[in-house]
Amino acid sequence: MRTKLNITEGIFPMPVLMVATYNEDGSVNVMNAAWGTMQARDTVALSLTESHKTVKNIKERGAFTISIATAAHITEADYFGVESGNLVADKFARSGLTASRAEMVDAPVINEFPICLECQFIEYQDGEYGCGVIGKVVNVTADESVITNGKVDISLVNAIAFDPYTHGYYKVTERVGEAFSDGLKLKPSNTP
């Protein structure tokens, strides 16, 4: 038997993305965005309305970064979602986190979050089913603390996911299977 649920914000789990930009005065602005995804290997889509300070900054600077939120900084990550950059100019400074200038784009990298995608702004889509900000990923960096054998080790990242049904955050740490491999067990042996 299945239980009927109310329609809610999305599919579980949702990413907890820290979208960072520079304000007009050069200060750092960060927002928490769960409605974001990869559209292609080098293209991201963020479902953000134009009323967000972050979107205004993206359009002005032509760039933004996306960092993956971690359990170690859940308080700061949540704060970036509950406080508006339109109302609090020093929102990032209040978090106590630090930032550096991105290598390839005019946007900040939040030093405490270990993975960062540097993005050039492509366009803003605002049609009936438009998804908001579209960006091209031009550089990806990771702190050495989360690298094993030259690759990102997600168990070391300690990333968090958002549950829109209960408004909880959950750690994403345990590897439970092998993509593009486990399913082969069900494939007939003579099928390519």
Side-chain angles (χ1 to χ4, degrees):
M1 173 170 256
R2 299 180 65 86
T3 300
K4 186 174 176 122
L5 302 173
N6 292 327
I7 295 172
T8 186
E9 291 89 2
I11 299 168
F12 174 82
M14 296 176 79
V16 182
L17 306 175
M18 301 291 101
V19 183
T21 59
Y22 285 122
N23 292 316
E24 305 85 15
D25 64 1
S27 62
V28 175
N29 178 67
V30 183
M31 78 172 291
N32 179 325
W35 291 22
T37 190
M38 297 299 297
Q39 246 184 348
R41 283 201 183 272
D42 67 348
T43 308
V44 294
L46 303 173
S47 184
L48 306 174
T49 63
E50 289 184 282
S51 63
H52 289 289
K53 176 69 172 155
T54 300
V55 174
K56 294 172 190 169
N57 290 347
I58 289 170
K59 287 181 169 184
E60 180 66 29
R61 297 279 184 152
F64 58 99
T65 60
I66 299 173
S67 295
I68 309 301
T70 63
H73 296 288
I74 201 161
T75 299
E76 296 89 342
D78 193 57
Y79 173 68
F80 295 141
V82 298
E83 187 68 84
S84 171
N86 286 318
L87 301 175
V88 178
D90 66 344
K91 175 172 137 173
F92 182 72
R94 290 181 183 201
S95 75
L97 299 181
T98 62
S100 302
R101 185 167 289 281
E103 292 177 35
M104 305 282 291
V105 299
D106 186 19
V109 173
I110 306 166
N111 298 321
E112 290 78 7
F113 294 122
I115 300 175
C116 181
L117 287 70
E118 298 178 25
C119 305
Q120 290 177 337
F121 175 56
I122 295 175
E123 70 176 323
Y124 186 83
Q125 297 179 352
D126 61 356
E128 182 180 357
Y129 298 105
C131 59
V133 173
I134 307 296
K136 180 174 181 61
V137 180
V138 296
N139 194 27
V140 180
T141 60
D143 190 88
E144 291 180 6
S145 67
V146 299
I147 303 291
T148 302
N149 298 323
K151 294 184 181 182
V152 172
D153 183 336
I154 194 70
S155 68
L156 297 175
V157 173
N158 214 9
I160 57 173
F162 173 63
D163 170 9
Y165 296 100
T166 66
H167 296 167
Y169 292 113
Y170 292 84
K171 289 196 296 184
V172 181
T173 57
E174 184 183 352
R175 186 178 189 120
V176 295
E178 301 302 317
F180 310 108
S181 177
D182 287 349
L184 296 177
K185 297 171 190 163
L186 299 179
K187 237 179 145 172
S189 59
N190 60 352
T191 304

